[in-house]
């Protein structure tokens, strides 16, 4: 049987689809923006704290540990040793094929200085490994106060790892300016380096 319009009275009518809620997209966008703002603020704080760490004046420690990653770090540590601010220096994370003689030439330091007062760690693969090797070295020599030399963008993570590895040793941060590497201070590669280090710093605090 059909109605005057010609449609069958037995035709099934499907319910209308519910209207799409545009508000869900706005909520997701708002959450994303909040996360982005927090991340940017955290990174800015990390960079500011790193940059504000200044080299101590009249430094006096038992020993120095420098983490490899650029010749400017090693040169800075060797200059400190030459100034007799410490009795001994550990260069941690040295490439296995590198010799003390090569490092002496690179840093323009006396070979005798390397023979008497410099130790090379060739086993540490990363910052956590640097800290573990340095802790063993400090224990063997009985060092209680150590200067940690590394780049400014790396100094906070290094101190986190070293503090965990040797909680009973007093650590003195000695940052080396990152623009000493020859990379412009304001550039995409340098920004990428700082962001990468910030992520690693957060992970080091969590794990």
């Amino acid at each position: 049987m059909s109605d005057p319009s010609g449609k069958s009275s037995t035709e099934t009518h499907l319910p209308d689809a519910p209207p799409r809620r545009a508000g869900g997209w706005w909520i997701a966008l708002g959450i994303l923006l909040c996360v982005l703002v927090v991340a940017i603020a955290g990174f800015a704080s990390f960079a500011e704290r790193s940059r504000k760490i200044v080299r101590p004046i009249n430094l006096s420690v038992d020993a120095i540990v420098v983490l490899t990653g650029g010749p400017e770090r090693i040169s800075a540590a060797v200059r400190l040793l030459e100034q007799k601010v410490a009795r001994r220096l550990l260069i941690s994370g040295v490439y296995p094929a590198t010799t003390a003689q090569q490092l002496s030439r690179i840093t323009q330091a006396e070979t005798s200085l390397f023979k008497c007062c410099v130790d090379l760690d060739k086993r540490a693969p990363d910052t956590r490994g640097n800290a573990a090797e340095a802790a063993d070295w400090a224990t063997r020599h009985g060092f209680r106060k150590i200067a940690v030399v590394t780049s400014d963008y790396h100094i906070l993570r290094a101190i986190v790892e070293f503090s965990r590895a040797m909680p009973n040793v007093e650590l003195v941060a000695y940052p080396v300016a990152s623009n000493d590497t020859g990379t412009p201070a304001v550039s995409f590669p340098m920004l990428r380096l700082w962001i990468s280090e910030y992520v690693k710093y957060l992970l080091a605090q969590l794990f």
Side-chain angles (χ1 to χ4, degrees), residues 98-120:
T98 302
T99 65
Q101 291 76 12
Q102 290 173 325
L103 291 174
S104 176
R105 288 195 299 270
I106 291 172
T107 59
Q108 299 182 344
E110 294 292 336
T111 304
S112 58
L113 184 69
F114 272 77
K115 288 182 177 180
C116 80
C117 308
V118 179
D119 297 310
L120 305 184

Side-chain angles (χ1 to χ4, degrees), residues 109-186:
E110 294 292 336
T111 304
S112 58
L113 184 69
F114 272 77
K115 288 182 177 180
C116 80
C117 308
V118 179
D119 297 310
L120 305 184
D121 157 41
K122 299 184 177 183
R123 295 186 296 180
D126 51 25
T127 304
R128 184 159 295 183
N130 294 142
E133 292 296 328
D136 291 342
W137 178 75
T139 299
R140 289 197 308 270
H141 291 280
F143 296 141
R144 308 302 301 169
K145 186 176 182 180
I146 294 176
V148 180
V149 180
T150 188
S151 299
D152 52 5
Y153 61 82
H154 185 225
I155 193 69
L156 288 180
R157 180 161 67 99
I159 294 300
V160 168
E161 297 288 10
F162 273 63
S163 297
R164 182 181 291 126
M166 50 181 91
N168 297 321
V169 174
E170 181 181 354
L171 302 174
V172 180
Y174 194 93
V176 178
S178 52
N179 55 0
D180 288 351
T181 62
T183 303
V186 182

